[in-house]
Amino acid sequence: MRVLVTGGAGFIGSHVVEALRTRGHEPVVYDVRTDPGADVRDAAAVARALAGVDAVCHQAAMVGLGNGVADAPEYVSRNDLGTAVLLAAMAEAGVGRLVLAGSMVVYGEGRYTCPRHGVVRPGPRAVADLDAGRFEPRCPVCGAELSPGLVGEDTPADPRNVYAATKLAQEHLAAAWARAMGGTAVSLRYHNVYGPRMPRDTPYAGVASFFRSALARKAAPRVFEDGGQRRDFVHVRDVAAANVAALEAESAPGALTAYNTGSGEPRTVGELARALAEACGGPEPVVTGEYRLGDVRHITADSARLRAALGWRPRVGFAEGVREFARAGLREERAPSR
């Protein structure tokens, strides 16, 4: 299969390219890092890149929480306009298979259970609570403490920041394309991806990159809130393997199918910071109590559907992956994309 990989020279995209080659496919890299003219918003350039292509693996995106709403036009341009241009070109070229780099951020806060009211969906955390160090969401009905759980793909979306809103819009655009063209579309809703080739800390990098970058400078990782935020840190090679599995699978035409893509091993942000510090032989993390508006407290999703439908399973455990990441170099990132 000849596969166009947008963002194919980036952190995740480069691993997808390697995984495709290993499986005997022919990846075609489309990335502004290797070709300044390879912008997914350039309809003519995208049309040329699609010549002879059987499928598209769409990794190119502006990622991370960024700088609040000030970045909104750039996020929407890169993520949503870029996806719309790509899908229109695919329709024109008759390319009917798409795998999209989705994100678990579309859910907003994770799944919570109240001892009195069962499953509830807390709203955004109040600034007054965050300022006071009250980081855990409370039951919106009775104010009781909540127990976090795993989010399934059928959970209603609730994006809490600009980046999350653009990732959900990408899925809606892909679903509309699939319905109109009879194409197959899969969105892999990535959890917190980490591993070799992660970009050096920028406003758009993930928390694993921030911690690793600090340790490279012999500085202590700075942990926001109290470090108790639950996430699912999934290794980049496992994510790449999920992309290949989705490309090779028989998917239902005319619809978009979403799959949570995580390790299945929820960890706290504090755990990651401590594990990286130990693996790097660096200073202990510092818990700052600071916070970022738009961050959610706990988000870990159930990846059972992906395992059952595509036969995929993660192979890199947390301890092994952290040790490798501690040894791996970080790369400079010229553009805020994967």
Side-chain angles (χ1 to χ4, degrees), residues 51-82:
V53 161
D54 303 300
V56 173
C57 188
H58 185 29
Q59 303 295 315
M62 184 172 177
V63 302
L65 189 58
N67 293 311
V69 295
D71 289 331
E74 191 70 7
Y75 273 110
V76 172
S77 176
R78 288 178 180 269
N79 296 356
D80 298 336
L81 174 60

Side-chain angles (χ1 to χ4, degrees), residues 41-302:
R41 296 168 293 186
D42 184 333
V46 172
R48 290 192 296 271
L50 285 170
V53 161
D54 303 300
V56 173
C57 188
H58 185 29
Q59 303 295 315
M62 184 172 177
V63 302
L65 189 58
N67 293 311
V69 295
D71 289 331
E74 191 70 7
Y75 273 110
V76 172
S77 176
R78 288 178 180 269
N79 296 356
D80 298 336
L81 174 60
T83 299
V85 169
L86 172 66
L87 293 170
M90 289 174 64
E92 181 68 22
V95 179
R97 181 178 292 269
L98 172 73
V99 174
L100 172 69
S103 176
M104 53 79 190
V105 295
V106 300
Y107 298 119
E109 283 286 356
R111 187 178 190 273
Y112 293 88
T113 303
C114 171
R116 290 181 57 192
H117 297 99
V119 176
V120 296
R121 290 181 65 81
R125 296 178 293 173
V127 171
D129 287 335
L130 295 170
D131 285 340
R134 296 189 293 268
F135 301 120
E136 293 289 343
R138 295 278 179 156
C139 175
V141 181
C142 66
E145 293 185 5
L146 300 173
S147 299
L150 299 179
V151 179
E153 288 90 347
D154 296 329
T155 301
D158 185 19
R160 298 287 177 91
N161 55 60
V162 170
Y163 169 61
T166 65
K167 296 307 290 183
L168 182 59
Q170 282 186 308
E171 290 193 351
H172 288 320
L173 288 166
W177 165 83
R179 285 192 296 270
M181 305 307 300
T184 63
V186 170
S187 177
L188 298 175
R189 291 175 175 170
Y190 299 160
H191 276 260
N192 292 71
V193 187
Y194 75 100
R197 301 177 212 150
M198 204 169 188
R200 194 173 297 278
D201 50 354
T202 75
Y204 309 93
V207 66
S209 173
F210 279 113
F211 294 161
R212 178 67 180 80
S213 298
L215 289 161
R217 301 190 303 267
K218 308 299 182 184
R222 294 174 58 81
V223 180
F224 279 16
E225 301 188 17
D226 60 1
Q229 311 94 298
R230 284 163 50 102
R231 299 289 188 270
D232 184 324
F233 298 101
V234 59
H235 196 275
V236 66
R237 285 197 299 276
D238 287 330
V239 168
N243 276 271
V244 176
L247 284 164
E248 294 178 341
E250 290 297 326
S251 300
L256 178 138
T257 305
Y259 294 110
N260 293 329
T261 308
S263 71
E265 300 181 52
R267 303 278 179 167
T268 68
V269 171
E271 282 183 275
L272 175 67
R274 290 190 295 272
L276 269 175
E278 181 178 353
C280 291
E284 287 290 310
V286 174
V287 178
T288 68
E290 299 172 79
Y291 64 86
R292 297 191 305 175
L293 283 176
D295 270 346
V296 297
R297 179 61 176 175
H298 304 298
I299 176 65
T300 53
D302 186 353

